[in-house]
């Protein structure tokens, strides 16, 4: 049975206890960094954290169709976040950081270190393009304008994609294949051209034609490379083969 006593409890302050004295003036601000460089590195890591969390929330809303009424706003916001992520992670010194904080060694390592769960953001960063661009919209008939017209006989005729959109997609395919033939094998040369291909293709057709998946796979592969990194001869030939197959599949889908 508990019996109260007059003795003070161990945690209660008393005149006989001794307490450690502060070694710094408590009224002065405490600096978490020792130099401007360290502060910039911490700010950079915080910005990367913010971009990843925000992008994951944006992708979650996109998957739930919460942004279906305004897909252009999603595309703009996602593109901006992807650009920010690229700039922050490729910035000089981003991989350094303070020893106790660690630098940016990659998406997976960064998320594991700071206990971030962002699978949707990881997928979008791997692709490097907004979902409205890399994925064909099932509600898009292509070419703009009305989805159909009445021919006077009570039947609706489906309107095909605009000739200008088809021409643009064809030109983008040819430009990309020509770049490979000219030996332009670096990421910063190929990734923008391949992004143009998938964007122009999506304006023409929403069909999952043969080879379309290869375009997205190569977008992910190129996006994971460093800007100046180049494909070796074997991978370049494989890419050329896959893109020629995708080009044939695209033309077949128009027939």
């Amino acid at each position: 049975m508990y019996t109260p006593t007059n003795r003070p409890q161990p945690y209660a302050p008393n005149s006989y206890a001794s307490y450690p004295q502060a070694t710094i003036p408590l009224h002065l601000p405490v600096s978490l960094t020792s130099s401007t460089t360290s502060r910039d590195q911490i700010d950079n890591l915080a910005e990367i954290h913010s971009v990843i969390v925000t992008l994951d929330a944006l992708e979650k809303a996109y998957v739930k169709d919460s942004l279906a009424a305004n897909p252009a706003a999603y595309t703009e916001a996602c593109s901006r976040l992807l650009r920010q992520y690229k700039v922050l992670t490729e910035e000089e010194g981003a991989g350094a950081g303070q020893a106790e904080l660690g630098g940016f060694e990659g998406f997976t390592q960064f998320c594991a270190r700071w206990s971030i769960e962002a699978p949707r953001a990881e997928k979008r960063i791997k692709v490097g393009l907004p979902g409205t661009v890399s994925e064909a919209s099932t509600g898009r008939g292509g070419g703009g304008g009305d989805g159909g017209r009445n021919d006077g006989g009570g039947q609706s005729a489906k309107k095909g994609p605009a000739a200008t959109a088809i021409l643009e997609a064809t030109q983008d395919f040819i430009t990309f294949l020509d770049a490979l033939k000219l030996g332009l094998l670096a990421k910063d040369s190929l990734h923008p051209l391949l992004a143009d291909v998938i964007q122009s293709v999506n304006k023409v057709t929403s069909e999952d034609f043969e080879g379309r998946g290869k375009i997205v796979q190569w977008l992910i592969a190129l996006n994971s490379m460093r800007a100046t990194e180049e494909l070796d001869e074997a991978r370049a030939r494989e890419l050329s083969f896959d893109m020629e197959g995708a080009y044939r599949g695209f033309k077949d889908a128009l027939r």
Side-chain angles (χ1 to χ4, degrees):
M1 178 181 296
Y2 173 74
T3 303
T5 65
N6 294 327
R7 291 182 302 171
Q9 298 301 316
Y11 55 81
N14 59 74
S15 58
Y16 303 101
S18 60
Y19 302 98
Q21 300 297 315
T23 58
I24 59 174
L26 299 181
H27 66 284
L28 296 178
V30 178
S31 177
L32 300 178
T33 60
S34 57
S35 66
T36 302
T37 301
S38 296
R39 184 173 64 251
D40 290 343
Q41 290 169 345
I42 292 176
D43 289 343
N44 188 67
L45 293 176
E47 289 292 341
I48 294 173
H49 185 287
S50 176
V51 167
I52 291 175
V53 173
T54 304
L55 181 58
D56 193 70
L58 180 66
E59 288 299 305
K60 184 176 181 180
Y62 172 69
V63 170
K64 289 185 175 181
D65 277 342
S66 300
L67 304 174
N70 194 0
Y74 160 78
T75 303
E76 180 182 356
C78 186
S79 298
R80 182 174 63 252
L81 289 169
L82 289 173
R83 286 195 301 269
Q84 291 173 342
Y85 178 85
K86 181 178 180 181
V87 171
L88 290 168
T89 55
E90 292 182 355
E91 190 175 84
E92 185 177 355
Q98 292 184 315
E100 62 272 19
L101 294 177
F104 184 82
E105 300 176 351
F107 183 93
T108 303
Q109 295 87 340
F110 184 83
C111 289
R113 184 177 184 86
W114 300 107
S115 301
I116 306 172
E117 294 184 4
R120 300 173 187 85
E122 181 179 16
K123 177 183 177 181
R124 187 57 52 214
I125 288 171
K126 284 182 178 180
V127 176
L129 293 171
T132 49
V133 175
S134 63
E135 302 165 7
S137 174
T138 56
R140 179 170 52 212
D146 297 331
R149 61 176 176 83
N150 195 289
D151 61 1
Q155 295 181 348
S156 176
K158 185 177 179 181
K159 188 175 182 179
T164 53
I166 297 176
L167 178 61
E168 180 183 356
T170 301
Q171 289 176 337
D172 287 338
F173 264 114
I174 294 174
T175 300
F176 183 81
L177 291 171
D178 285 347
L180 290 176
K181 292 176 182 177
L182 292 172
L184 302 178
L185 304 179
K187 171 192 173 178
D188 56 2
S189 297
L190 294 178
H191 190 274
L193 297 178
L194 193 55
D196 289 342
V197 170
I198 194 65
Q199 291 182 61
S200 58
V201 163
N202 285 345
K203 294 177 183 178
V204 175
T205 179
S206 61
E207 294 184 22
D208 190 15
F209 57 85
E210 183 179 357
R212 186 183 184 281
K214 291 291 185 180
I215 302 177
V216 177
Q217 290 177 15
W218 277 107
L219 273 171
I220 296 173
L222 291 172
N223 194 56
S224 65
M225 296 167 56
R226 296 187 300 273
T228 57
E229 187 177 352
E230 294 189 355
L231 297 173
D232 56 29
E233 183 179 356
R235 295 191 73 196
R237 292 182 63 180
E238 183 181 357
L239 174 56
S240 178
F241 177 80
D242 288 342
M243 289 305 103
E244 287 177 356
Y247 184 32
R248 288 193 299 269
F250 170 72
K251 291 189 292 184
D252 291 341
L254 299 178
R255 295 173 183 171

